[in-house]
Amino acid sequence: MPESKWQKSSYSGATNECVEVRTVNGAVELRESDQGETILHTTPTTFAALLQATKAGEFDHHA
């Protein structure tokens, strides 16, 4: 997996308060756009599970 540029959700619009994602050396990296120095590294499989759980509403009670 080649390195990619940071991407943010289209739901974020023009704001800088969103989560950004990219791939680097086969890993997935996540960061908060307004605090870019802190980066979470994970695997594609774990990231896919997170997305699936989020779409299924498993974290809605934390809102």
Side-chain angles (χ1 to χ4, degrees):
M1 212 181 284
E3 183 173 331
S4 61
K5 295 182 180 180
W6 288 108
Q7 296 179 351
K8 66 179 182 174
S9 169
S10 60
Y11 291 104
S12 300
T15 67
N16 284 333
E17 299 174 357
C18 61
V19 174
E20 297 177 313
V21 63
R22 72 176 179 181
T23 58
V24 176
N25 297 325
V28 176
E29 295 185 340
L30 301 155
R31 71 178 183 180
E32 183 70 29
S33 60
D34 60 345
Q35 295 180 0
E37 66 280 353
T38 303
I39 299 173
L40 173 70
H41 306 267
T42 190
T43 66
T45 302
T46 301
F47 183 61
L50 173 65
L51 291 178
Q52 185 177 23
T54 302
K55 290 178 181 180
E58 292 185 28
F59 307 110
D60 290 353
H61 64 281
H62 294 288

